[in-house]
Amino acid sequence: MGSNFNIHFFGTSSAVPTKERGLSCLTITYENSMAFFDCGEGSQRSVLGAGLGFNKDCNIFITHLHGDHVIGLLGILQTMAMNRREKQVGVFGPEGIIDFIRTNQSILRFGLTFDVMAREVKPGLVYDEENSRYRVFAQKSKHSALSFAYVFEEKEKPGRFHPEKALKLGIPEGPLWSKIQHGESVKSPKTGKVVDPKQIMEKPRKGKRIGISGDTRPTSLLEQFFKGCDVLIFDSTYSDEHQENALENLHSTSREAAMLAKKARAKNLILTHFSARYRRVSNLVRQAREVFPNTIAAKDFLVYDVADTS
Amino acid sequence: MGSNFNIHFFGTSSAVPTKERGLSCLTITYENSMAFFDCGEGSQRSVLGAGLGFNKDCNIFITHLHGDHVIGLLGILQTMAMNRREKQVGVFGPEGIIDFIRTNQSILRFGLTFDVMAREVKPGLVYDEENSRYRVFAQKSKHSALSFAYVFEEKEKPGRFHPEKALKLGIPEGPLWSKIQHGESVKSPKTGKVVDPKQIMEKPRKGKRIGISGDTRPTSLLEQFFKGCDVLIFDSTYSDEHQENALENLHSTSREAAMLAKKARAKNLILTHFSARYRRVSNLVRQAREVFPNTIAAKDFLVYDVADTS
């Protein structure tokens, strides 16, 4: 992998699992944190199978309360408690998410060793903390249940530091470099002149943005929401041949996903949530690439390096 | 396999899944029926993976309402509905099982295409229908939640039919054989004498009995309940070294399982529900065999032929 910013796909099947594909779940790992987007049945075992573990800082975002997207949440919380986790876990989802957790906790009588901060989301900023390196936004999607799409946004990163420029301006390696890297002006011990960080560092770099559609029809609201995403992960339940099913069941075809990615000027498209009728999805990828060439298909246990994305 | 009477082990891990073992689930397939005993998270995918499918006559028995034994029930019901099942499914479990199903159906808004006959069980006969080939009994077990052990009992089978005896008594192959096989006396066309089925058929054969302990301490009540079982599947969470954990968490060691099997005069013992701390369980099997030699360890996807059991 090499990078500390990856998308791990754990479940890429729609509605029912297949031998090859589990129910909806993906995790974005970023430095020491992990953010889940949906937790279908079987998620905890896939995460264990990938060797990820459950000890990181963790937030869980649920797109909608259909069983195949949320049932695995219970097992993840229980297993964290078995591991005697103490760090709080944030859970975000549509209205009903709190009821789902609390009611099952009560019926199944499972105690937790940590706090669950469960929040019902509304469109807009849903997660941001001072010491977190990312924030998450939500927007309404269009499915047969109240449902949300999310954008995971890496916070702005400091610009590249040029050691050769620092040395040229008479600033030696050491504490002064650190000050500059934190945005402070310093006095050059050699020239006596005040040096502005801008003379040595490039402009702050925009963070990467990852869009996650959940189950949805393509809509202009989502097109706006996903504008300029570096990576867009979009509902791709059907191929062209089953366009009617996409309309009827409020999902998208791979071609529709590609059309939205194109309009939103996303940089990369990852198709997921495939109907169990397709054993192989090369046809869906081909149809999408006719519209948007930078398209790949997700598969279970695929690790996508976000830091490498251009 | 060869037989039409098998036990399929789908999950043999305690509390949390491991790479090798899923959460508690086993299925007894008997002719065209299947009976589940517990449905931990991931059960539906294991059943699909084994190529079993969900179209058979089906009853589901839950030992207790801990998440690792029951969460997979929701996915099984939903997937049956996706497959447009119409045949009723029986669900049996401790108090709370009906609430668990109904509440989650309401929160997750999933409709079913078939009736679920959910019943809260008490000790005694919990399942028997005229046209079913088996019945199921329940008895209280001893765990940290209200919990039941079950016995799956094959109904009595007609005795062996001896064609050579029929021919000797002058009864030709055809409708008269069928009458005899159904227990009717017939008149021999050759001798004119009335022939009793007992002259041609052996005595009815006792059905096989399979005991399933669920999570429990060994108790004298269970010893009685499992008396003479052909196959006993028993909680074997720990090895001798962790006897204290067995007491504290209300589970059994493999040796305790073996002691109970011996006292109950079971014919065969299958250990299951292993703590995730044991990657291999040969030690647990060895300790049990010191007490009860006819012991094996369950593992995920093991198919045990009951018809072959002696």
Side-chain angles (χ1 to χ4, degrees):
Chain A
M1 288 176 244
S3 155
N4 57 1
F5 189 7
N6 294 294
I7 306 169
H8 302 255
F9 289 90
F10 288 124
T12 60
S13 189
S14 163
V16 293
T18 69
K19 282 191 190 187
E20 295 79 18
R21 300 189 204 111
L23 293 172
S24 287
C25 178
L26 67 86
T27 306
I28 300 176
T29 53
Y30 187 85
E31 296 178 354
N32 196 38
S33 69
M34 62 200 303
F36 281 89
F37 291 86
D38 286 334
C39 297
E41 182 181 352
S43 298
Q44 64 163 324
R45 197 171 182 197
S46 298
V47 173
L48 285 172
L52 273 192
F54 289 107
N55 293 322
K56 294 173 187 280
D57 290 331
C58 181
N59 288 298
I60 299 174
F61 301 87
I62 301 296
T63 61
H64 64 297
L65 291 181
H66 279 166
D68 55 318
H69 288 250
V70 73
I71 282 172
L73 173 60
L74 302 174
I76 287 176
L77 297 179
Q78 282 186 272
T79 291
M80 284 173 165
M82 291 276 178
N83 295 344
R84 311 228 168 274
R85 180 190 177 96
E86 292 181 358
K87 277 179 278 193
Q88 176 190 288
V89 173
V91 179
F92 305 79
E95 195 186 328
I97 185 72
I98 297 174
D99 189 23
F100 175 69
I101 298 170
R102 300 298 174 221
T103 305
N104 278 296
Q105 260 199 285
S106 153
I107 297 174
L108 304 176
R109 295 179 200 194
F110 64 94
L112 295 177
T113 53
F114 55 94
D115 286 334
V116 173
M117 277 288 292
R119 290 182 211 162
E120 297 180 343
V121 304
K122 292 202 170 68
L125 179 66
V126 295
Y127 173 75
D128 188 15
E129 282 180 18
E130 205 186 333
N131 58 0
S132 83
R133 298 296 316 277
Y134 67 91
R135 49 178 87 86
V136 174
F137 299 86
Q139 180 54 285
K140 277 202 178 168
S141 51
K142 187 177 176 185
H143 190 51
S144 52
L146 173 64
S147 60
F148 290 92
Y150 293 101
V151 165
F152 175 104
E153 186 178 86
E154 181 189 19
K155 289 187 182 173
E156 197 177 69
K157 290 160 71 172
R160 206 175 299 279
F161 178 87
H162 290 278
E164 75 287 0
K165 291 188 184 174
L167 296 173
K168 213 170 174 180
L169 293 164
I171 302 169
E173 194 171 352
L176 292 178
W177 283 23
S178 171
K179 282 192 176 175
I180 287 174
Q181 282 160 353
H182 285 85
E184 290 179 45
S185 296
V186 299
K187 201 180 191 178
S188 166
K190 196 165 168 190
T191 66
K193 285 185 187 164
V194 171
V195 174
D196 190 285
K198 283 183 192 159
Q199 294 175 264
I200 295 172
M201 285 178 74
E202 295 181 18
K203 272 193 266 183
R205 288 170 287 180
K206 258 186 85 173
K208 304 273 187 189
R209 294 175 72 233
I210 303 167
I212 299 111
S213 76
D215 293 10
T216 189
R217 291 290 304 147
T219 66
S220 54
L221 205 57
L222 289 183
E223 185 190 315
Q224 287 305 315
F225 184 54
F226 291 137
K227 201 61 108 185
C229 273
D230 297 276
V231 183
L232 176 57
I233 300 159
F234 208 91
D235 180 331
S236 181
T237 309
Y238 298 108
S239 69
D240 286 350
E241 293 72 16
H242 300 107
Q243 175 71 62
E244 283 159 43
N245 301 59
L247 285 160
E248 191 183 339
N249 302 323
L250 296 163
H251 286 294
S252 302
T253 65
S254 64
R255 186 181 297 274
E256 289 175 329
M259 286 163 65
L260 192 138
K262 188 180 178 184
K263 287 190 208 157
R265 296 192 189 160
K267 297 203 180 74
N268 297 278
L269 172 63
I270 306 181
L271 308 176
T272 190
H273 199 266
F274 304 111
S275 164
R277 78 192 66 199
Y278 310 119
R279 178 116 194 228
R280 304 191 56 192
V281 295
S282 49
N283 211 26
L284 282 76
V285 174
R286 190 180 51 70
Q287 290 167 359
R289 283 186 181 160
E290 285 174 15
V291 177
F292 189 85
N294 280 355
T295 300
I296 62 167
K299 63 178 179 180
D300 286 28
F301 296 103
L302 170 70
V303 181
Y304 184 94
D305 187 335
V306 183
D308 247 10
T309 305
S310 61
Chain B
M1 287 177 247
S3 154
N4 58 2
F5 189 6
N6 294 294
I7 307 169
H8 302 255
F9 289 89
F10 288 124
T12 59
S13 189
S14 163
V16 294
T18 69
K19 282 191 189 186
E20 294 80 17
R21 301 190 204 112
L23 293 172
S24 287
C25 179
L26 67 87
T27 307
I28 300 176
T29 53
Y30 187 87
E31 297 178 352
N32 196 38
S33 68
M34 62 199 303
F36 281 90
F37 291 87
D38 286 333
C39 297
E41 182 181 354
S43 299
Q44 64 163 324
R45 197 171 182 198
S46 298
V47 173
L48 286 171
L52 272 193
F54 290 107
N55 293 323
K56 294 173 187 280
D57 290 331
C58 181
N59 288 298
I60 299 173
F61 301 86
I62 301 296
T63 61
H64 65 298
L65 291 182
H66 279 165
D68 55 317
H69 288 251
V70 73
I71 282 172
L73 173 60
L74 302 174
I76 288 176
L77 297 178
Q78 283 186 272
T79 291
M80 285 174 165
M82 291 277 176
N83 296 344
R84 310 225 168 277
R85 181 190 178 95
E86 292 182 357
K87 275 180 280 193
Q88 177 189 289
V89 173
V91 180
F92 305 79
E95 196 187 328
I97 186 73
I98 298 174
D99 190 24
F100 175 71
I101 298 171
R102 299 300 174 220
T103 305
N104 278 296
Q105 260 200 287
S106 153
I107 298 174
L108 305 176
R109 295 179 198 193
F110 64 94
L112 295 176
T113 54
F114 55 93
D115 286 334
V116 173
M117 276 287 291
R119 289 181 213 163
E120 295 179 345
V121 303
K122 292 204 171 67
L125 180 65
V126 295
Y127 173 76
D128 187 16
E129 283 181 16
E130 205 186 334
N131 58 1
S132 83
R133 298 295 316 276
Y134 68 91
R135 50 178 88 86
V136 174
F137 299 85
Q139 181 52 284
K140 277 202 179 168
S141 51
K142 186 176 175 185
H143 190 50
S144 51
L146 174 64
S147 60
F148 290 91
Y150 293 101
V151 165
F152 176 104
E153 184 178 87
E154 180 189 21
K155 289 187 182 173
E156 197 178 68
K157 291 159 69 172
R160 207 175 298 281
F161 178 87
H162 290 277
E164 76 286 0
K165 291 188 184 173
L167 296 173
K168 213 169 175 181
L169 293 165
I171 302 168
E173 192 171 353
L176 291 179
W177 283 24
S178 171
K179 283 191 175 174
I180 287 173
Q181 282 159 353
H182 285 85
E184 290 177 45
S185 296
V186 300
K187 201 178 189 178
S188 167
K190 196 166 169 192
T191 66
K193 285 186 186 162
V194 171
V195 174
D196 190 285
K198 282 182 193 159
Q199 295 175 263
I200 295 171
M201 286 179 73
E202 294 181 19
K203 271 192 266 183
R205 288 169 286 180
K206 257 187 85 172
K208 303 271 188 191
R209 294 175 72 233
I210 303 166
I212 299 110
S213 74
D215 293 10
T216 189
R217 292 288 306 145
T219 66
S220 54
L221 205 57
L222 290 183
E223 185 192 316
Q224 287 305 315
F225 184 54
F226 291 137
K227 202 61 109 183
C229 273
D230 297 277
V231 183
L232 176 58
I233 300 159
F234 207 91
D235 179 330
S236 181
T237 310
Y238 298 108
S239 70
D240 286 350
E241 292 72 16
H242 300 106
Q243 175 71 62
E244 282 159 44
N245 301 60
L247 284 161
E248 190 183 340
N249 302 323
L250 295 163
H251 287 295
S252 302
T253 65
S254 64
R255 186 182 297 274
E256 289 174 327
M259 285 163 67
L260 192 139
K262 188 180 178 183
K263 286 189 208 158
R265 296 192 188 160
K267 297 203 180 74
N268 297 277
L269 172 64
I270 306 181
L271 308 175
T272 190
H273 199 268
F274 303 112
S275 164
R277 79 192 67 200
Y278 310 118
R279 178 117 193 227
R280 304 191 58 193
V281 294
S282 49
N283 210 27
L284 281 75
V285 174
R286 191 181 50 70
Q287 291 167 0
R289 283 187 181 159
E290 286 174 14
V291 177
F292 189 85
N294 279 355
T295 300
I296 62 167
K299 62 178 181 181
D300 287 29
F301 297 104
L302 170 70
V303 181
Y304 184 94
D305 188 333
V306 182
D308 248 10
T309 306
S310 61

